[in-house]
Amino acid sequence: MTTKILTVLMTCTLAPPLWSAQAPAGETRRADGRCAGDNVLTPAEKTAGWRLLFDGTSKAGWHGYNNQNTEAWTIEDCALKTSGTDTNYGSDLRPDLVTDAQYTSFELSLEWKGSKAGNSGIMYGVIEDPKYQAAWMTGPEYQLTDDVGFPRPLEPNRQTGANYSMHAPDPARKVLKPIGEWNTTRIVVHGAHVEHWLNGKKIVEFERWTPEWNALRDSGKWKDAPDYGKAKTGRIALQDHGSIFWFRNVKIRPIDDGA
């Protein structure tokens, strides 16, 4: 009897916990290795001022645009996942996910992958207002699409990496990975200056609020969105456009612009 009890106690003591007790607060890392290294900050990133926006297990720090319900957003394989539809395109509007915090100048980094014929986006400088149904009507958008399998031709300024319907990416520098593979996006916003990066290459660069930017804005699709792109401080948004997309390793580094 004593031997059996001792064996049970040793087994319980040696069994690894589901979640590592060594993970820093707010950073979950599975002891079985699944998702190890994802949705965590390295010591160097912490020293550089990076902040984790997604912990890999919850939607903490995010809410639905204009406080819409976010049940359609799920977490799968340690990534935020949009709801999607069978056809992936042309579905009814679903709520965008926006950060609780607002940012002025910053560097945003994340990984994403999409599905065939998919369409989504990452927005910044987003403001919430009941007169707008979605974040794209207020904040510039880093476009995410299946450039190859989209169901209709796409203008260059509506392809992946573009400042949606404003600035097209540089085709000579753009490298988009095939559907099902993870891409890395980096967005730098420093005052009026904005850069879009894709898989380590800068593919878009522009200045906001210049006469040229204003002319481009006013000649585009923003006639029904008078606040588009005007905010100097706003939220980050992930778009649910009815396609299935995944987002992970979402992190931000605020930039001190001296203001």
Side-chain angles (χ1 to χ4, degrees):
M1 179 67 71
T2 302
T3 301
K4 289 182 178 180
I5 294 174
L6 181 60
T7 300
V8 171
L9 289 173
M10 289 179 66
T11 301
C12 293
T13 301
L14 295 175
L18 184 62
W19 298 101
S20 171
Q22 302 301 315
E27 299 176 7
T28 51
R29 185 190 296 266
R30 290 186 63 99
D32 62 7
R34 187 172 69 85
C35 304
D38 288 327
N39 307 308
V40 295
L41 296 176
T42 66
E45 287 174 326
K46 293 177 182 178
T47 300
W50 286 90
R51 303 173 186 173
L52 203 60
L53 291 183
F54 170 55
D55 63 16
T57 63
S58 73
K59 289 174 272 189
W62 298 81
H63 64 272
Y65 183 73
N66 283 337
N67 292 313
Q68 293 172 302
N69 190 298
T70 64
E71 288 183 0
W73 285 83
T74 58
I75 297 171
E76 180 180 279
D77 294 332
C78 302
L80 285 164
K81 180 185 177 184
T82 59
S83 55
T85 65
D86 291 338
T87 59
N88 261 343
Y89 186 73
S91 66
D92 293 336
L93 182 69
R94 288 171 168 80
D96 299 326
L97 204 61
V98 300
T99 55
D100 294 344
Q102 300 190 60
Y103 303 92
T104 303
S105 291
F106 58 87
E107 182 177 358
L108 177 72
S109 176
L110 57 82
E111 293 179 319
W112 61 272
K113 65 179 180 178
S115 53
K116 185 175 176 56
N119 181 9
S120 184
I122 306 157
M123 282 145 281
Y124 46 93
V126 168
I127 60 174
E128 292 179 286
D129 190 310
K131 69 175 175 283
Y132 297 124
Q133 291 182 303
W136 68 265
M137 301 184 79
T138 70
E141 177 181 350
Y142 183 116
Q143 174 75 332
L144 306 178
T145 57
D146 176 6
D147 289 353
V148 176
F150 202 71
R152 64 172 183 259
L154 288 168
E155 294 295 327
N157 66 5
R158 296 190 178 188
Q159 297 177 5
T160 292
N163 176 27
Y164 177 73
S165 206
M166 291 281 283
H167 302 92
D170 181 350
R173 296 179 59 81
K174 176 178 168 180
V175 177
L176 178 62
K177 295 182 180 180
I179 290 299
E181 295 187 18
W182 290 98
N183 292 273
T184 300
T185 278
R186 179 169 161 245
I187 301 172
V188 180
V189 176
H190 195 177
H193 183 76
V194 179
E195 298 174 6
H196 287 188
W197 293 66
L198 177 64
N199 295 321
K201 301 290 186 179
K202 182 168 64 176
I203 58 173
V204 169
E205 186 172 15
F206 61 93
E207 303 292 325
R208 296 183 289 178
W209 314 313
T210 63
E212 293 79 11
W213 184 92
N214 289 332
L216 186 61
R217 175 198 183 280
D218 294 340
S219 64
K221 62 174 291 180
W222 314 112
K223 62 181 182 302
D224 296 324
D227 294 321
Y228 167 83
K230 292 183 178 179
K232 294 184 178 180
T233 299
R235 306 184 194 279
I236 309 297
L238 304 178
Q239 185 183 50
D240 186 340
H241 202 295
S243 305
I244 299 175
F245 273 75
W246 295 261
F247 301 90
R248 71 182 185 188
N249 293 322
V250 188
K251 57 192 76 172
I252 196 165
R253 183 180 69 86
I255 298 173
D256 183 1
D257 56 12

